[in-house]
Amino acid sequence: MTAIDNPYYSHEFHGDYDLVNIGRLDLEDGGVIPECHLAVATFGTPSPDRDNAILVTTWYSGTHQIWRDAYIGPGHALDPETYFIVVVDQIGSGLSTSPHNASGGNAGIAMSRFPHVRIGDDVVAQERLLREHFGIDTLELVVGGSMGAQQTYEWMVRFPDKVRRAAPIAGTARNTPHDFLFTKALNEAITSDPGFKDGEYASNADVVDGLRRHAGIWAVMGFSTEFWKQEAWRALEFESKEAFLEGFLEPYFTAMDPNDLLCMAWKWQRGDVSRHTGGSLEEALGRVTAKTYVMPIDEDMFFPVRDCEAEQKLVPGSELRVVKDMLGHLGLFSVNPDYLPQVDRHLRELLGTEV
Amino acid sequence: MTAIDNPYYSHEFHGDYDLVNIGRLDLEDGGVIPECHLAVATFGTPSPDRDNAILVTTWYSGTHQIWRDAYIGPGHALDPETYFIVVVDQIGSGLSTSPHNASGGNAGIAMSRFPHVRIGDDVVAQERLLREHFGIDTLELVVGGSMGAQQTYEWMVRFPDKVRRAAPIAGTARNTPHDFLFTKALNEAITSDPGFKDGEYASNADVVDGLRRHAGIWAVMGFSTEFWKQEAWRALEFESKEAFLEGFLEPYFTAMDPNDLLCMAWKWQRGDVSRHTGGSLEEALGRVTAKTYVMPIDEDMFFPVRDCEAEQKLVPGSELRVVKDMLGHLGLFSVNPDYLPQVDRHLRELLGTEV
């Protein structure tokens, strides 16, 4: 029994995953999740010494699904024949504890009552999960895209001794003000829908207009100007940009839960590793001991290479590995056949580095 | 007596301008403006031979005001001591005939009944105004930014014999699909406000929430990521990005009329000189005989240099003159002290070119 029913967040749509109760999670901003459940998908087998683990963190609106379908598998850098790969869906993802599914012991924080969660809370929860549930103390690699990159950076700074290698893709260690405003526009598209009712709607379908406008803003910022100009959506067999919106971006987002998206967005807006060091990004990133490849996407409109490179220069011994993809940020979906071979090449090289 | 009263569109806020009735305007999309009034501000004196005229076209939400205050004057390329400078506010600008001020003979097209207007309609109206009202047949220069660039391109292609020089700044000859989607998001921020009432609100104040969200999307796309990162708004004496939004962008847009903005946006979305040549942009721009400087702004997020340069290459004898401004598209406001000297230098050189 969840707060509201949304069939999108199910095994039918997301395949196999386990729900692990890691117990009470006290949050950085003062709230509490009484029973924090993390949705976890694993691939491969842990070595006897637990020294072959890779953690994958997830992005806004994304889950383990895209990692399973595109990034993980034999022949990829994230190869389950070699590594034990743990993908943890973030709090608010709709699969892990989230506003829409808060029930039972979490009934008190359902829907609009869900507390503010920070990137650091996710990372603390993931560390507990790995240690207590899987017996994993050290990670061969932490990798994630977008908000997953925020979590990756948080791991690098918060638990430097536990991360041997790190690959933040298309994301930053400290969220930029432009990104904050972009996310604000996304949020307002949702909350301005009269059907949102301050978060106490009966179904995500009540907020479909707001979710559709939210998808429309993603269309502007998520892909590059060139993606639209070259009509790259034709490769996905759509007839027009309107058909692509209606057949791809809109169904993708309108299936989701508004409060869940807002929970993730609040985190995204405030991702900032310099919270550990009194606001000094230089000092925070200076703590990193993981071998790090910073991997922005060249056409990304809101995590531009320039911002990622500025941070990369603060990470000792790191390298900048720019991924070329005309899709821009949503190149993360791995639609372009040239995208994943680049990611694989960089990750393979990173995993091959002695640390 | 206008359809609704909006004190922003007045001499108090926009200084001196004349309203010239150019008569009935039959529109490309089939509608009619029974009595098309154009708001016109002039600077300088026409020469006896009428061979010193410069036409300035206006952008979305902008009027002659910014041109008067920033671009025109002694010491600038647009020098009234040498040239007779005519700034024509576009149809839908709120000063020229627009949805909110349609009255008298235009009462039948007030508010939501306002017909679709295209960039070509503006240019036809401007040509008539210049010829019939000012006795001007040939223009030494046509210059405009953003939607003003769209009108400039339209002049170059529609009336090649009448334009000796042209300077489209931060805009394109054929609107891009990405720009269409950006404008769609702007429009939807307005029309989704329940107070909009399908265009039949009693006051723009009824749509203040939608106009504020519209301003929020401008914050994301109108300035560059770097503008926000470097907190360039501090130069305007704001304390925070929130204060800048609340004290600058929001009051700027919430003062305006929703239907007027939508009228301009519809035009903007469909600006396309290749309508003259069955869809061939190459053929349309190949008609241009004006000496042309194409002037994108380097940090523009929705009229990127790449798009402007692709068109510039199709204009015979043209030159690409990139203006550097970290503000991005809204550099057009001439807030950065380094901006206008660049524009002046290029325009002065262009005006000095024998044609």
Side-chain angles (χ1 to χ4, degrees):
Chain A
M1 183 62 191
T2 60
I4 63 172
D5 187 47
N6 183 328
Y8 175 72
Y9 303 107
S10 65
H11 289 284
E12 185 186 347
F13 282 90
H14 288 89
D16 286 341
Y17 59 89
D18 294 316
L19 268 184
V20 181
N21 185 348
I22 63 160
R24 174 188 169 103
L25 189 67
D26 291 295
L27 302 168
E28 289 187 22
D29 263 52
V32 176
I33 298 177
E35 294 178 4
C36 184
H37 290 76
L38 295 180
V40 187
T42 64
F43 306 87
T45 309
S47 59
D49 295 341
R50 298 288 191 271
D51 61 357
N52 70 334
I54 290 176
L55 173 68
V56 177
T57 52
T58 63
W59 56 71
Y60 178 83
S61 83
T63 67
H64 63 272
Q65 189 177 29
I66 179 71
W67 285 88
R68 177 196 67 213
D69 294 348
Y71 291 75
I72 296 169
H76 290 296
L78 303 181
D79 188 345
E81 292 176 12
T82 306
Y83 298 102
F84 180 57
I85 303 161
V86 183
V87 191
V88 184
D89 295 318
Q90 66 171 295
I91 297 166
S93 61
L95 298 178
S96 297
T97 295
S98 302
H100 99 273
N101 68 18
S103 60
N106 292 331
I109 57 167
M111 302 293 280
S112 68
R113 285 165 291 164
F114 205 77
H116 287 147
V117 181
R118 286 189 181 265
I119 295 289
D121 296 316
D122 270 287
V123 169
V124 164
Q126 290 159 8
E127 193 274 343
R128 193 195 299 174
L129 170 84
L130 291 171
R131 187 165 33 80
E132 296 186 351
H133 189 75
F134 292 108
I136 293 168
D137 280 317
T138 310
L139 293 160
E140 288 300 291
L141 171 68
V142 181
V143 59
S146 199
M147 282 188 72
Q150 292 184 309
Q151 294 163 68
T152 300
Y153 273 115
E154 181 75 19
W155 266 96
M156 292 154 63
V157 173
R158 188 183 279 260
F159 298 120
D161 296 343
K162 289 172 170 273
V163 184
R164 303 188 76 199
R165 300 174 192 82
I169 305 174
T172 50
R174 178 160 71 187
N175 200 38
T176 66
H178 178 264
D179 239 46
F180 188 97
L181 294 170
F182 165 44
T183 317
K184 178 170 177 278
L186 291 173
N187 292 348
E188 289 176 353
I190 293 172
T191 58
S192 63
D193 188 325
F196 178 67
K197 293 182 182 162
D198 293 326
E200 294 297 332
Y201 48 85
S203 159
N204 63 312
D206 299 345
V207 196
V208 67
D209 292 339
L211 290 168
R212 197 177 288 128
R213 289 196 298 276
H214 164 275
I217 297 173
W218 270 106
V220 178
M221 291 297 294
F223 298 104
S224 72
T225 59
E226 204 65 13
F227 169 84
W228 295 107
K229 191 171 189 187
Q230 297 188 18
E231 302 189 342
W233 37 262
R234 289 197 187 277
L236 295 167
E237 300 186 356
F238 289 98
E239 294 285 316
S240 66
K241 67 178 183 301
E242 288 73 22
F244 174 70
L245 281 177
E246 286 162 25
F248 184 88
L249 270 185
E250 292 181 3
Y252 177 74
F253 283 113
T254 56
M256 297 182 187
D257 182 79
N259 282 322
D260 292 1
L261 290 172
L262 292 167
C263 170
M264 290 186 279
W266 196 92
K267 263 194 263 184
W268 170 6
Q269 290 183 301
R270 292 162 184 81
D272 181 3
V273 295
S274 78
R275 285 164 52 81
H276 294 289
T277 49
S280 167
L281 189 61
E282 190 165 8
E283 197 184 324
L285 293 177
R287 290 185 182 180
V288 173
T289 53
K291 174 66 185 177
T292 304
Y293 284 4
V294 171
M295 295 168 57
I297 298 173
D298 62 346
E299 291 276 357
D300 197 318
M301 291 188 67
F302 56 97
F303 288 115
V305 172
R306 172 164 65 188
D307 289 349
C308 298
E309 184 173 13
E311 294 183 339
Q312 176 265 319
K313 287 181 174 160
L314 301 178
V315 179
S318 66
E319 295 182 31
L320 183 72
R321 298 291 182 110
V322 178
V323 177
K324 293 186 196 306
D325 194 340
M326 185 248 286
L327 267 75
H329 190 75
L330 295 182
L332 287 169
F333 284 159
S334 188
V335 163
N336 185 336
D338 297 334
Y339 169 79
L340 207 59
Q342 297 177 69
V343 172
D344 272 336
R345 191 176 71 243
H346 296 307
L347 292 184
R348 209 174 273 124
E349 194 175 331
L350 178 58
L351 284 163
T353 306
E354 286 298 319
V355 290
Chain B
M1 183 61 193
T2 59
I4 63 172
D5 187 47
N6 182 327
Y8 174 72
Y9 302 106
S10 65
H11 289 285
E12 185 185 348
F13 282 90
H14 288 89
D16 285 341
Y17 59 89
D18 294 317
L19 268 184
V20 181
N21 185 347
I22 63 160
R24 174 188 169 102
L25 188 67
D26 291 294
L27 302 168
E28 288 185 23
D29 263 52
V32 176
I33 298 177
E35 295 177 5
C36 184
H37 289 77
L38 295 180
V40 187
T42 65
F43 306 87
T45 309
S47 60
D49 295 340
R50 300 288 192 272
D51 61 356
N52 70 334
I54 291 176
L55 173 68
V56 177
T57 52
T58 64
W59 57 70
Y60 178 83
S61 83
T63 67
H64 63 274
Q65 188 177 29
I66 179 73
W67 286 89
R68 178 196 66 214
D69 293 350
Y71 290 76
I72 296 170
H76 290 295
L78 303 182
D79 187 345
E81 291 175 12
T82 306
Y83 297 103
F84 179 57
I85 302 161
V86 182
V87 191
V88 184
D89 294 318
Q90 66 171 296
I91 297 166
S93 61
L95 297 178
S96 296
T97 295
S98 301
H100 99 274
N101 67 20
S103 60
N106 292 332
I109 56 168
M111 302 294 279
S112 67
R113 286 165 291 163
F114 205 77
H116 287 147
V117 181
R118 285 189 182 265
I119 295 289
D121 296 316
D122 270 287
V123 168
V124 164
Q126 290 159 8
E127 194 275 341
R128 193 195 298 176
L129 170 84
L130 290 171
R131 188 166 32 81
E132 296 187 351
H133 189 76
F134 292 108
I136 294 168
D137 280 316
T138 309
L139 292 160
E140 288 300 290
L141 171 68
V142 180
V143 57
S146 200
M147 283 189 71
Q150 292 183 309
Q151 295 164 66
T152 300
Y153 272 116
E154 181 74 20
W155 266 96
M156 292 154 64
V157 172
R158 186 183 281 260
F159 298 119
D161 296 342
K162 289 174 170 272
V163 184
R164 303 190 76 199
R165 300 175 192 82
I169 305 173
T172 50
R174 180 160 71 188
N175 201 38
T176 66
H178 178 265
D179 239 47
F180 188 97
L181 294 170
F182 165 43
T183 318
K184 177 170 177 278
L186 290 174
N187 292 348
E188 289 176 353
I190 294 173
T191 58
S192 64
D193 188 326
F196 178 67
K197 293 183 182 162
D198 293 327
E200 295 296 332
Y201 47 86
S203 158
N204 63 313
D206 298 345
V207 196
V208 66
D209 291 340
L211 291 168
R212 197 177 286 127
R213 290 196 298 276
H214 164 275
I217 297 173
W218 270 106
V220 178
M221 292 296 295
F223 298 105
S224 72
T225 59
E226 204 63 11
F227 169 84
W228 295 108
K229 191 169 188 189
Q230 297 188 17
E231 303 190 341
W233 37 261
R234 289 198 187 277
L236 295 167
E237 300 186 356
F238 288 98
E239 294 286 317
S240 66
K241 66 179 181 303
E242 288 73 21
F244 175 70
L245 281 177
E246 286 163 24
F248 183 89
L249 270 185
E250 292 181 2
Y252 177 74
F253 283 115
T254 56
M256 296 181 188
D257 182 78
N259 283 322
D260 292 1
L261 291 172
L262 293 166
C263 170
M264 290 186 279
W266 196 93
K267 263 193 263 185
W268 169 6
Q269 289 182 302
R270 291 161 184 83
D272 182 2
V273 297
S274 79
R275 285 165 51 82
H276 294 290
T277 49
S280 167
L281 188 61
E282 189 165 10
E283 197 184 325
L285 293 177
R287 288 187 183 180
V288 174
T289 53
K291 175 64 183 177
T292 304
Y293 284 4
V294 171
M295 295 167 59
I297 298 173
D298 62 347
E299 291 276 358
D300 198 318
M301 291 188 66
F302 55 97
F303 289 116
V305 172
R306 173 164 62 187
D307 288 348
C308 298
E309 184 172 15
E311 294 184 338
Q312 176 265 318
K313 287 181 174 160
L314 301 177
V315 179
S318 66
E319 296 182 29
L320 182 74
R321 299 291 183 109
V322 178
V323 177
K324 293 185 196 306
D325 193 340
M326 184 249 287
L327 267 77
H329 189 74
L330 295 182
L332 288 169
F333 285 159
S334 188
V335 163
N336 184 336
D338 297 334
Y339 169 79
L340 207 59
Q342 297 177 70
V343 173
D344 272 337
R345 191 176 71 244
H346 295 308
L347 292 184
R348 208 173 273 124
E349 193 176 331
L350 179 57
L351 284 164
T353 305
E354 286 299 320
V355 290

